[in-house]
Amino acid sequence: MAKIAYILLCHKDPGAVIQQAERLTAAGDYMAIHFDGRAAPEDYQSIRAELADNPNVTFARKRVRCGWGEWSLVEATLHALRSAVEEFPRATHFYMLSGDCMAVKTAEYAHRFLDQHDKDFIESFDFFDSDWIKTGMKEDRLIYRHFFNERKHKQLFYWSHRLQKRLGLQREVPADIQVQIGSQWWCLRRRTVEWILDFTRKRRDVMRFFRTTWIPDETFFQTLVRHLIPEGEIEPRTLTFLMFTDYGMPVNFHNDHYDLLLSQDFLFARKISPEATELKSRLGRLYAAQGVDFQISNEGRSLYKFLSQRGRIGRRFAPRFWETESSLGRERELLIVICKKWHVAKRLLEQIRQVTNIPAIEYLFNEEDTPLPDLGGIQAALMKRTRHRRALMRMLFEYYESDQLLICLDPGAVDLMNDFHSDRSSTRFLQIECEFSDDYLAGHAHRVGLAGERTPQLTLERLLPTIRNDILYENDRIRDAGFSQLFQIRESNSPEENADQLRGFLGLTEEKAMQIAGNHYLFAD
């Protein structure tokens, strides 16, 4: 059975470090601790004293003064790894942790998982070809030498960088090394760790290179594992669940995140908020528990993205400069059907096609596979359609040789509605207001990835009010947009009331409008 040696890098809160060590070793696992050399000596002594009688705990032989983005973080990790390898010969895996991490599965589950997956778990993507680095310095991290801490000595850091660029002091990456990048939170097998430690003793050139790279904790182990281990034995992901905000800051987890964390396909999570005492207590008891059944739904990141975007939606009032003279045509009429239940809007379009000659296209800005004529490639992808929306619409008017065109939009596409409404052409809107049962909203959450097949019912119940309020908010935005010709049909209205709105929207006779509105299964789910 798997035995895990946890490599803990920490720098504060000795009480929490002691608790974490006792919790994780109580199940028979091990821990090697590196406590930052910058921390108070008395804190370090208290940790050593409290854990002195625990045979499953050891300490790095040397304490390093660590700094963000520096080689010191890798050096500290290597010191702790060497101690763990020497002290714990029965350890089969070595798992990198910080003081902010906590287990979100039982030891029983973790051991079984590692027994079933004989691989190294480490994010490892090509440094130059992948898009892992979203902003800021990329190749300059490697090809120039970095001697100063960017956070503590910002001016010196960038002065040194500029000077090397000006003097052309670039350096080469070691010829036989393909640099990789990824998260520093990994879980490696014993053989892999032993090979890495042997490599560090033999390849001093590679060690010199990484010592002066910037943020080497994201490249050193990631590169060496790819260099030493066959690709088929590497799982390029972390077993520690972490998320980042739009500003690149780690998301903190709080007391009400317990169920969400347990349902993710990870063994640990970071960062647990210091104030989340209830969450820490519950997770602390979890690791030693037996027979716990976990329902893995893994919707955490998509759910966070959805919730964090509420309230951030902006509105673009003015047309972009390249669209200023891109009118659809003053003589043309664009008819837009707005509906959250796409199947209802599509059903309505089918009725309109049977009664009128108006060309009608379904959700062309929302669904990639919407049937469209060949327009020279502009129709090929959603991104192209949205970016060149006015050009696309002009081409569709010309293709159908019509001065009227009907399309469907999701209520969330208010920016598109505003853009078309500001055009010189005539634009009319038909808003379809449907009723939403809890069952429908739950299905919607599954369809858009906010929930999985095994999402706990309690999590789903908490999510449904947010989804319902989001739909109401989108409808309010449409009403507040001030569209001059906005017509509305409702599921709760009579066919006669809806026919009156359709007559104004489509410019039909009362008889034809009633023919469309009289469809008794129009709103059926």
Side-chain angles (χ1 to χ4, degrees), residues 151 242-252 270-271 304:
R151 291 189 173 180
L242 64 161
M243 297 191 298
F244 292 90
T245 68
D246 295 343
Y247 306 101
M249 301 300 292
V251 172
N252 284 288
R270 73 180 304 267
K271 293 185 160 187
Y304 173 78

Side-chain angles (χ1 to χ4, degrees), residues 279-290:
L279 177 62
K280 287 185 174 182
S281 177
R282 296 178 73 184
L283 292 178
R285 294 192 297 269
L286 176 68
Y287 193 70
Q290 298 284 326

Side-chain angles (χ1 to χ4, degrees), residues 489 493-503 510 513-514 517-518:
I489 64 173
N493 283 357
S494 67
E496 290 76 17
E497 290 173 314
N498 286 337
D500 185 58
Q501 293 292 305
L502 284 168
R503 189 159 58 91
E510 185 174 345
M514 191 62 198

